[in-house]
Amino acid sequence: MQTRKCISKLIRRWHDCSTRSIQTTNEERHSKAYRRLVRLFKKFHWDNMTILKHLIYAKDDIQPLVDGTTKSRVGLEVLRKKRVLLLISDLDIAIEDIELLNDVYRESCARPENPFKIVWLPIVDIDPKSAAWDMTHQPKFEELQRSMPWYTVVHPSILEPAVIEYTREVWHFLKRIIIVALDPQGKLASANAFHMIWIWGILAFPFTKEREEALWKQESWGLKLIVDGSDDGTITEWMEEGSCICLYGGEDLDWIRRFTNAAKGVAEIADIPLGMIYVGMSNAMERVQTTAAAIRTESLSDCWGDITCWFFWGRLESMLYSKLQQGMSTETDPVLDEIMTILSYDASDQGWALFCHGPGPPMARAKGVEVLQSMEEFDKWKGNADQKGFVYALQDHLRQKELETPQARSGISMMIVCAECGRAHEATLFKTYSCCTEYAEV
């Protein structure tokens, strides 16, 4: 009996030692693979095969990719000496993001020489080889894979742990999707080209930091920058007609009724054509649908559809991220300051409005209370409107109101990122800001 106990103890000790040994070996292998990736991205390569093999699949025993067009298995050779965009996401990638990339990808494929390839690398927290994965995640992965016309990995399990760590530690992938751009030699062109693709589409090619900087130098703050790609033709028609244009948002229907009626009354008194369009909110689509339905029923103004609103706010957020990635600040970059102002309006519980006349400046914008008061106080600045023009005069009046109430912009502004949606928002010290299901006190 004593001998059996000793044998059992030895077996358990051997098993524990073997388990620890295997764990140690795996950790060492993981660490070695991670360091190798770091070194490889610092070296020059004649083509991109070395980098892609270590990122996607290093062996030659299987074809690791699925061609989204033919749904057939292919090897990494199809990417040799191509510009490659690595689409990195979890399984919660929004179908709207896929549709946006679809448009850009179709446009690139229509060119005689397809300038780049896209490869989806799904990064998942659960072990793709476990039973839990098969029951709950495999159908979702296959559904997303079918929706993508570009290349995808055959299965998330072929991505090594070191690769997943590299995407998180070096490329800062958290939850929001990123697009890592590699040049034909596998050199990093951009750690996240997603935002420039959202803003400029195929014009962002070849997706380098230099190209992003050059595109921003061509832009200035104005209606054209804000609504480019969102307009269904309505705003373009208004501009051609010489109308004053108002974009407004929020979900307070009482404020919307008062504001739209007051603005229409002012336009009639000032004898100017006015086009008003409701652009919703970024993170309250269901409530926005209810508000938009009421606006249409009561003929308060025009409204954008769900997809257009989503694209509008997503594009503004991409502008914010793009500017921040370039190291810009509101003190030195007036476009970034305006972008953050509009996004801060959207983050508040109030409505807001923006007035302009044509694709460029001037533009007058304010939160709901201030802009409604300005409409109701039109008699105070009507003379200035007759002399300088409606938008210039409104801009002057709003600035004067801001000087009279300096506390309106008091507080320390900063950007916070929602843990649920991965989006950045402006918060003010001592203010509680809610986004999705998370609450963040700054």
Side-chain angles (χ1 to χ4, degrees):
M1 182 65 70
Q2 186 68 27
T3 302
R4 288 182 178 177
K5 288 183 179 180
C6 290
I7 293 174
S8 297
K9 186 182 292 186
L10 286 171
I11 290 174
R12 285 196 302 271
R13 187 180 300 171
W14 175 83
H15 181 269
D16 292 343
C17 289
S18 297
T19 302
R20 286 195 297 270
S21 177
I22 292 172
Q23 184 177 352
T24 301
T25 302
N26 288 338
E27 290 175 354
E28 290 175 350
R29 186 183 298 115
H30 174 99
S31 179
K32 184 178 179 180
Y34 180 86
R35 293 195 302 271
R36 186 187 300 117
L37 270 176
V38 173
R39 290 197 304 272
L40 286 174
F41 270 101
K42 293 179 179 178
K43 293 182 177 180
F44 171 80
H45 305 278
W46 291 107
D47 62 29
N48 54 7
M49 283 294 97
T50 300
I51 289 291
L52 291 176
K53 284 182 178 180
H54 283 86
L55 281 174
I56 299 174
Y57 194 73
K59 302 176 184 177
D60 295 323
D61 55 340
I62 65 168
Q63 293 178 308
L65 301 179
V66 174
D67 186 326
T69 302
T70 64
K71 306 304 177 186
S72 59
R73 295 276 292 271
V74 295
L76 292 176
E77 281 294 324
V78 297
L79 305 175
R80 184 182 289 274
K81 293 188 177 180
K82 301 285 186 181
R83 289 191 178 272
V84 176
L85 302 184
L86 301 175
L87 169 58
I88 300 174
S89 78
D90 58 17
L91 298 185
D92 291 327
I93 181 173
I95 190 66
E96 293 87 355
D97 288 333
I98 296 176
E99 290 175 356
L100 170 70
L101 290 173
N102 263 331
D103 290 340
V104 176
Y105 192 66
R106 279 195 296 267
E107 189 174 350
S108 74
C109 291
R111 297 188 173 192
E113 176 60 31
N114 192 348
F116 62 89
K117 303 291 184 182
I118 300 179
V119 182
W120 180 39
L121 304 185
I123 305 298
V124 295
D125 292 323
I126 191 170
D127 183 0
K129 300 175 183 177
S130 68
W133 167 269
D134 290 336
M135 291 185 292
T136 61
H137 296 83
Q138 184 65 21
K140 179 63 174 176
F141 166 72
E142 292 175 354
E143 179 187 355
L144 288 170
Q145 192 179 49
R146 285 193 298 269
S147 70
M148 298 178 180
W150 44 77
Y151 297 111
T152 66
V153 296
V154 65
H155 196 266
S157 60
I158 72 170
L159 299 178
E160 293 291 337
V163 174
I164 295 173
E165 182 185 0
Y166 192 88
T167 64
R168 298 188 190 280
E169 295 296 323
V170 179
W171 292 334
H172 307 297
F173 169 70
L174 295 174
K175 186 174 180 65
R176 185 77 167 143
I177 73 170
I178 64 173
I179 295 180
V180 176
L182 304 178
D183 73 6
Q185 285 72 47
K187 182 181 178 181
L188 184 69
S190 172
N192 191 3
F194 180 65
H195 306 304
M196 70 173 96
I197 291 173
W198 195 307
I199 301 167
W200 295 289
I202 196 68
L203 290 176
F205 181 83
F207 315 111
T208 60
K209 294 178 182 178
E210 293 76 16
R211 179 57 178 164
E212 188 173 19
E213 291 172 1
L215 287 168
W216 270 124
K217 288 179 181 178
Q218 301 172 20
E219 301 287 2
S220 59
W221 182 249
L223 188 63
K224 182 179 181 300
L225 176 63
I226 297 174
V227 304
D228 190 27
S230 303
D231 183 27
D232 60 0
T234 302
I235 292 178
T236 301
E237 184 177 337
W238 287 342
M239 283 193 289
E240 291 173 351
E241 293 171 352
S243 299
C244 180
I245 297 166
C246 172
L247 308 184
Y248 72 97
E251 58 175 335
D252 185 341
L253 192 53
D254 289 336
W255 174 85
I256 290 173
R257 291 190 182 105
R258 291 179 62 193
F259 168 67
T260 52
N261 287 326
K264 290 175 186 177
V266 167
E268 186 174 350
I269 295 171
D271 193 25
I272 58 171
L274 175 65
M276 305 184 71
I277 197 157
Y278 176 66
V279 300
M281 297 179 67
S282 62
N283 288 316
M285 293 308 294
E286 290 186 7
R287 299 198 300 274
V288 164
Q289 289 173 352
T290 302
T291 304
I295 292 171
R296 293 189 184 97
T297 300
E298 300 177 30
S299 300
L300 299 178
S301 75
D302 282 79
C303 293
W304 273 341
D306 294 346
I307 298 299
T308 306
C309 286
W310 168 85
F311 183 82
F312 170 80
W313 288 109
R315 194 164 177 273
L316 274 178
E317 288 175 359
S318 286
M319 291 180 195
L320 169 65
Y321 278 109
S322 176
K323 286 288 188 180
L324 293 178
Q325 282 181 173
Q326 290 185 311
M328 299 298 180
S329 68
T330 55
E331 289 77 15
T332 59
D333 193 309
V335 173
L336 176 59
D337 185 50
E338 293 292 343
I339 292 168
M340 286 186 64
T341 298
I342 298 299
L343 289 175
S344 70
Y345 290 167
D346 178 61
S348 71
D349 297 329
Q350 305 177 36
W352 63 274
L354 178 153
F355 287 84
C356 59
H357 201 147
M363 300 183 78
R365 63 348 180 234
K367 292 181 180 179
V369 173
E370 287 82 2
V371 75
L372 175 57
Q373 287 178 350
S374 294
M375 294 297 106
E376 294 173 339
E377 298 170 352
F378 180 58
D379 58 312
K380 295 182 179 180
W381 51 280
K382 182 179 182 301
N384 195 25
D386 293 337
Q387 293 180 7
K388 297 179 65 175
F390 180 82
V391 178
Y392 275 115
L394 175 57
Q395 193 177 56
D396 290 345
H397 186 71
L398 289 169
R399 284 173 179 165
Q400 184 60 39
K401 290 181 71 66
E402 188 173 284
L403 291 174
E404 294 170 357
T405 55
Q407 72 273 15
R409 288 185 65 87
S410 64
I412 302 173
S413 294
M414 62 184 296
M415 297 309 296
I416 60 173
V417 177
C418 170
E420 282 293 315
C421 69
R423 293 175 173 178
H425 300 276
E426 186 182 80
T428 305
L429 195 61
F430 306 125
K431 171 185 174 181
T432 300
Y433 176 76
S434 66
C435 176
C436 302
T437 58
E438 292 290 323
Y439 290 83
E441 284 213 8
V442 183

